[in-house]
Amino acid sequence: MLVIVGVSCKQETLTTAEKKIYPWFVYKDGSSFKDIEPVKELVNSISVFGNPPKSFIDECHQNNIEVYHAVGGNEENINTPEKIKALVDSYVNDCNTNGYDGIDLDFEHLNPDVQDIYTGFLELTSQKLHAAGKKLSHCVGFYPALYQDEKTKMFHDPEVLARTCDLVRVMCYDMYFAPGVGNPELKHRDDCMGVGPTSNFPWTKETMSFWMKHIPRNKLVMALPAYSNDYAVTGNIKGRQIYQSVPDSVSGVLPSPTWLCYEKVNMYLYDSTDGQRHLFYASDVRSTEALLELADELEIPQIGFWHFGSVEPQMWDAAGKWKTK
């Protein structure tokens, strides 16, 4: 007798218990846990730039929110073994003294020639933090050189990141780095300095597809923008980032946006109070909803925002629906 057994090839979908939201939080004068209070049930972890008091970290912990300390750096910080050891020891002391759950490394745009040194730095940081019961997170981007050749050497080795880090936060923004347009001081950056949105659907999909080849899904955070790109396009083109979803300097009535169906981004063409015509590429609730759908499509369990203070209420609502979907 022939028995036919049906086998489903459908992938398991993410459960609501697996979905988590990990924004960055910029702590400054006047900041407090009250900023987080309205969405505390949605936030699982924050990475803090700045130096909050221990009471802020304790209050996060009381509300089941994990806290990383976000720290930056450059080649000079790690150019000798002595500097590396002192830096790593300072991370461990910071966590132990202030109660952080881990360190979030935001080293960006370093020279690829330092990759071997950076590998040693990551290995020592991971070893000492883990020995202290703390975690290691790292921010990564997706820059134009990688569009040409996925084997392009970066200052960090993706395989080392996968081995040493507990989280890898993929910055799905600065697809176009607006402040770099016409700014000679920023020409050292490896972002694309043309005219366009800070993020869009197909580029984010390409970005996450690249990092999914190197980092396990459960370690990935798909970090979304909560800021927009604005360009003066008459005369010399000049760009800037605006931490809101609509233009802030409109002369007359703001026209309705145009939905770019391929990019899944709203674009405004408007007259500014500076006397110039502007193009504004919005990061708003509609583009956020599209990127959250992409997170589900790619089965990415953790999303984030740069940064907490500019996530609008409608965007939080969209993130909450995504988390409980």
Side-chain angles (χ1 to χ4, degrees):
M1 181 175 65
L2 178 64
V3 178
I4 300 175
V5 179
V7 178
S8 173
C9 295
K10 186 178 184 295
Q11 287 185 307
E12 292 293 323
T13 56
L14 293 171
T15 68
T16 56
E18 293 172 312
K19 291 183 175 182
K20 295 180 172 61
I21 301 177
Y22 291 179
W24 285 278
F25 186 97
V26 179
Y27 192 94
K28 53 191 177 182
D29 288 345
S31 296
S32 74
F33 188 79
K34 289 181 180 178
D35 300 324
I36 301 174
E37 187 85 34
V39 293
K40 66 181 182 180
E41 301 300 329
L42 297 180
V43 176
N44 300 89
S45 173
I46 58 171
S47 174
V48 182
F49 282 92
N51 296 291
K54 188 173 183 299
S55 57
F56 172 85
I57 300 168
D58 291 342
E59 200 162 1
C60 287
H61 287 158
Q62 289 162 15
N63 287 276
N64 301 310
I65 298 173
E66 191 177 48
V67 186
Y68 288 77
H69 199 189
V71 296
N74 55 41
E75 293 91 344
E76 291 184 5
N77 301 129
I78 57 170
N79 60 9
T80 69
E82 292 77 16
K83 285 185 179 179
I84 290 175
K85 182 181 182 302
L87 188 58
V88 174
D89 286 345
S90 74
Y91 294 158
V92 175
N93 182 64
D94 184 22
C95 289
N96 287 335
T97 301
N98 296 302
Y100 289 109
D101 298 285
I103 294 293
D104 181 23
L105 296 177
D106 186 32
F107 283 59
E108 300 182 43
H109 312 289
L110 273 62
N111 192 311
D113 292 342
V114 305
Q115 190 186 88
D116 289 344
I117 294 172
Y118 202 81
T119 290
F121 167 60
L122 282 177
E123 289 175 339
L124 185 63
T125 304
S126 176
Q127 174 193 334
K128 290 203 170 186
L129 283 175
H130 289 150
K134 304 298 181 178
K135 298 178 182 179
L136 176 61
S137 169
H138 202 294
C139 305
V140 298
F142 188 66
Y143 302 116
L146 296 176
Y147 304 166
Q148 307 301 323
D149 179 4
E150 287 197 356
K151 295 184 179 178
T152 295
K153 186 177 181 181
M154 297 177 282
F155 72 89
H156 45 53
D157 182 337
E159 308 309 323
V160 175
L161 289 172
R163 174 164 46 85
T164 58
C165 295
D166 301 282
L167 288 177
V168 175
R169 303 172 195 259
V170 185
M171 299 179 290
C172 297
Y173 44 80
D174 284 352
M175 170 188 173
Y176 286 97
F177 183 58
V181 176
N183 189 333
E185 295 181 4
L186 296 172
K187 285 189 175 178
H188 69 283
R189 291 182 62 121
D190 39 16
D191 316 72
C192 184
M193 294 187 182
V195 174
T198 192
S199 180
N200 70 17
F201 188 94
W203 176 80
T204 302
K205 187 171 186 176
E206 184 180 6
T207 298
M208 293 308 301
S209 296
F210 171 83
W211 283 106
M212 285 165 61
K213 294 175 183 176
H214 302 285
I215 310 295
R217 273 185 178 84
N218 65 338
K219 290 187 176 186
L220 284 173
V221 178
M222 181 172 155
L224 312 182
Y227 66 90
S228 306
N229 278 357
D230 183 68
Y231 300 89
V233 292
T234 49
N236 294 323
I237 297 176
K238 186 176 182 181
R240 63 185 179 127
Q241 294 170 344
I242 296 181
Y243 280 80
Q244 58 186 58
S245 63
V246 293
D248 63 351
S249 56
V250 181
S251 177
V253 178
L254 178 66
S256 298
T258 298
W259 178 249
L260 305 179
C261 58
Y262 180 70
E263 293 86 353
K264 299 190 179 181
V265 168
N266 269 321
M267 182 191 74
Y268 295 83
L269 180 63
Y270 72 99
D271 293 318
S272 172
T273 52
D274 64 10
Q276 298 191 63
R277 215 77 200 285
H278 279 239
L279 271 177
F280 183 96
Y281 294 92
S283 295
D284 56 17
V285 63
R286 192 170 180 186
S287 61
T288 298
E289 286 171 342
L291 293 179
L292 292 171
E293 289 174 6
L294 177 60
D296 280 343
E297 177 186 327
L298 298 176
E299 297 190 324
I300 302 296
Q302 295 157 162
I303 65 102
F305 288 104
W306 175 259
H307 59 80
F308 182 96
S310 54
V311 182
E312 298 182 343
Q314 298 93 333
M315 294 163 73
W316 279 121
D317 289 344
K321 289 175 183 176
W322 168 81
K323 191 176 181 183
T324 56
K325 185 176 173 182

